[in-house]
Every structure is written in C-alpha cells, then in structure tokens.
Amino acid sequence: MKKIGLLFIAVLLISCQAKVKKEDLNKLNGYWEIKQVKLADGEKKDYKVNETIDYFELKENAGFRQKVMPQFDGKFRTNGIKENVKILEKENNFVIEYNTNYGKWLEEIIELADSTLVLKNKDNLEYTYKKFKPFSFK
C-alpha cells in the first residue's frame, strides 16, 4: 500500500511541474552554471565546481550562447566562440535551436524559473542548471 502512495505522490509532483510559458523565456538571459546531468538510464552526475558556465543573450527569441570562465575579479574570460540560438515553439513546448559552423541541434526547455533551468536533448540527457552567483570573498 505504501508503494502505491509513493507512486501517486511521484506522479502528482511530475504532473504539477510548471509548464514553460512564453513570458518566462526572457529568464533564460544571463549566466547559468551546470548543477546536474541526468543520463537516459536515470543515473545522475552532480557538479560541485565548474570552470566554465553558459551565458545566454537573447532578444526576441534569438541570440547566442557562449561558454565563459568566471574570474576572481568578477569578470569573465571566453574563447570568443558563440553558438547562435533561437527559441522555437514545437508541440506546445519550447525548444532551443543551436546553430554553429559544425552542426545544428535542439534542446527542449523542461523548466525555466528565476534560478533553475532544465534542458533535455535528443539522447534524453537532462541538464539542470542554476543561476550563476559571482565569487565573493566577504
């Protein structure tokens, strides 16, 4: 009986997950730090420290993503490579379309809030990000 109750709670939590809305898409702008990757088999890999973070800059659902390296002085270093991105609506969900000289791919936006971003790719890898907070020595 307890297993049925736990299953019901799990289904309820999953079904209650907030659907990404068009007006939330501007929350994607800014610096995002990878927190966890969930593999297709359900295994999870946690990230405690990241040398690079993702920076998104979008205007009217188009822009770029760039890998940056935070510095102790509050600035960021980058290699200058930017991935062009567009936000598309597909089957009542929002996806990010990435486009570079080397390829084109999509990631579905599973969750997007002020401090949380969850993306899922075609291989069912689920990437959970948190908003990056600059270093502080205070």
Side-chain angles (χ1 to χ4, degrees), residues 62-125:
F64 67 89
R65 176 176 78 168
Q66 184 173 37
K67 298 287 185 186
V68 298
M69 293 167 280
Q71 305 298 299
F72 289 113
D73 63 2
K75 296 179 182 175
F76 297 92
R77 281 190 21 221
T78 180
N79 61 7
I81 298 172
K82 295 179 180 179
E83 300 166 341
N84 295 314
V85 298
K86 284 185 200 172
I87 306 296
L88 308 172
E89 190 169 1
K90 290 190 172 204
E91 300 172 9
N92 294 322
N93 293 312
F94 290 98
V95 297
I96 303 173
E97 177 186 75
Y98 299 89
N99 189 350
T100 70
N101 292 337
Y102 307 104
K104 191 176 190 177
W105 66 98
L106 300 173
E107 288 183 327
E108 181 181 355
I109 304 173
I110 303 297
E111 183 180 345
L112 179 56
D114 290 332
S115 60
T116 303
L117 169 64
V118 181
L119 302 175
K120 188 175 191 178
N121 71 12
K122 67 177 175 66
D123 297 322
N124 285 322
L125 296 175

Side-chain angles (χ1 to χ4, degrees), residues 22 25-26 29 57-63 85-88:
K22 189 172 187 167
L25 294 175
N26 66 341
N29 281 309
E57 186 174 305
L58 296 157
K59 292 180 181 155
E60 298 182 25
N61 296 336
V85 298
K86 284 185 200 172
I87 306 296
L88 308 172

Side-chain angles (χ1 to χ4, degrees), residues 42-54:
E43 184 181 338
K44 295 178 182 177
K45 180 177 179 180
D46 293 322
Y47 290 82
K48 305 285 184 215
V49 177
N50 297 293
E51 291 182 18
T52 62
I53 58 175
D54 289 357

